[in-house]
Amino acid sequence: MFRLFRKRSSVRQEFDDRFMQLLQELKEEWEQARELEELVRDYDEQVIAKRKIAESKYFYMFKEAKERNIRLNRRF
């Protein structure tokens, strides 16, 4: 019976690791979109929209991580 509890914590740890990996990927996507926006000379609505979408995804997942008490200071 005690194995059941251990497995649950390992599943949670696995989920947290996958969640943090997704959060890191979203952060990189957002940073790339920001860099692209800075490199574009003309005012391009599609580039701005892409940056805003990436930013929104990242901050939504960031809030979700805080709500679930996932440690945010992990390094990959």
Side-chain angles (χ1 to χ4, degrees):
M1 182 156 191
F2 291 108
R3 285 183 172 187
L4 181 65
F5 293 117
R6 288 184 195 166
K7 184 170 182 156
R8 185 173 186 201
S9 66
S10 67
V11 170
R12 180 180 172 94
Q13 182 65 36
E14 181 182 335
F15 176 78
D16 289 350
D17 291 342
R18 288 177 44 202
F19 189 87
M20 289 304 295
Q21 185 178 11
L22 176 62
L23 189 63
Q24 183 66 28
E25 290 172 7
L26 289 172
K27 183 178 181 183
E28 291 172 6
E29 181 183 332
W30 174 43
E31 289 172 350
Q32 288 175 356
R34 276 193 315 186
E35 290 174 12
L36 180 63
E37 185 179 10
E38 290 176 9
L39 294 174
V40 173
R41 293 180 184 216
D42 294 334
Y43 183 82
D44 190 357
E45 291 180 9
Q46 287 182 334
V47 173
I48 294 170
K50 184 176 179 179
R51 180 197 44 91
K52 288 183 178 183
I53 290 169
E55 182 179 13
S56 296
K57 286 180 184 178
Y58 173 69
F59 281 110
Y60 174 79
M61 295 300 278
F62 186 81
K63 286 181 190 178
E64 187 69 24
K66 285 179 71 174
E67 201 171 290
R68 293 176 184 231
N69 294 324
I70 297 175
R71 284 192 310 162
L72 300 174
N73 57 356
R74 289 188 197 169
R75 301 282 178 176
F76 287 98

